[in-house]
Amino acid sequence: MLELAILGFLAEAPLPGHELRRRVSQLTGYTRPVSDGSLYPAINRLAKAGLIERRAAPATGTARYVLSLTPAGRADMLQRLREPADHEITDFTRFYIVLAFLSHLPDAAERHAVLRRRLEFLEEPASFFYDNERPLRAEEIADPYRRGMLLTARATSRAERTWLREALGEKPPAFDTARSECDPHAPAAPAS
């Protein structure tokens, strides 16, 4: 995903290495800080593959350079956005990097296909904790910290699903009386 972030930022404008590092760090830093030991090897791989160009920028100092996206780099970035790997759809941080640059895809149908994959993933019942194969809901967890994890994840998932439906131009599902909320992770409502 580091490579997609590099390609995505360079699709917006050529950047010096230190500015690219700052932008990538701001995008991913709160969950996965970007070190020089990972960023600069990624830049070198992309340059060697012909996806980005490195040009000297004498006005910024002797050791400074500016990076720009090549036509091959743009094509590669668009392909990565069109067909993200499954783990790029299911992993929160990885998906947000895809989302940060999804507007670069010129075709709305392709953008919607990516959003639909994420929505389908979020609508599957899931948990951090299971009883055999059955996902446990927050209300079934005695540990207050694990319960907090599930409640926070439920709220985040609900908000993201609402936004995804809006972005796709879909109406939210009708209220399901078998659930206390329109949420696959919500506990069933008491029978009347």
Side-chain angles (χ1 to χ4, degrees):
M1 292 317 300
L2 179 58
E3 291 181 357
L4 178 57
I6 292 167
L7 295 171
F9 280 122
L10 294 179
E12 295 169 359
L15 296 168
H18 67 280
E19 177 62 20
L20 178 62
R21 182 180 191 278
R22 184 183 70 78
R23 290 184 189 195
V24 170
S25 292
Q26 287 175 338
L27 180 62
T28 63
Y30 76 98
T31 56
R32 296 184 181 160
V34 178
S35 69
D36 289 347
S38 59
L39 179 65
Y40 292 104
I43 289 171
N44 289 335
R45 282 192 306 275
L46 293 170
K48 186 175 181 179
L51 304 179
I52 63 175
E53 290 179 326
R54 186 182 322 203
R55 294 188 191 138
T60 60
T62 57
R64 300 289 177 148
Y65 55 89
V66 173
L67 300 165
S68 60
L69 197 62
T70 66
R74 180 169 298 283
D76 184 85
M77 177 199 64
L78 293 174
Q79 186 59 34
R80 291 173 191 238
L81 291 170
R82 268 185 207 101
E83 297 179 18
D86 287 342
H87 67 277
E88 294 166 350
I89 295 293
T90 61
D91 180 272
F92 180 81
T93 303
R94 291 174 189 267
F95 180 71
Y96 274 39
I97 292 173
V98 170
L99 195 59
F101 302 106
L102 197 58
S103 63
H104 289 297
L105 276 179
D107 184 356
E110 291 176 334
R111 293 189 303 268
H112 284 190
V114 173
L115 297 180
R116 194 164 314 288
R117 283 180 62 200
R118 176 70 175 178
L119 181 59
E120 288 169 3
F121 163 71
L122 291 174
E123 289 180 335
E124 289 294 318
S127 180
F128 295 111
F129 309 104
Y130 289 79
D131 179 10
N132 291 318
E133 296 295 316
R134 185 180 66 82
L136 294 175
R137 295 185 292 251
E139 295 72 18
E140 299 174 293
I141 303 289
D143 183 297
Y145 307 106
R146 288 183 176 192
R147 179 181 159 97
M149 286 174 62
L150 292 174
L151 290 171
T152 302
R154 178 191 297 165
T156 302
S157 175
R158 185 180 312 122
E160 186 177 354
R161 289 192 321 270
T162 298
W163 176 82
L164 285 164
R165 286 186 190 102
E166 288 173 6
L168 291 166
E170 297 177 0
K171 292 183 179 183
F175 184 78
D176 183 351
T177 56
R179 301 234 181 230
S180 65
E181 304 174 39
C182 296
D183 186 331
H185 303 284
S192 11

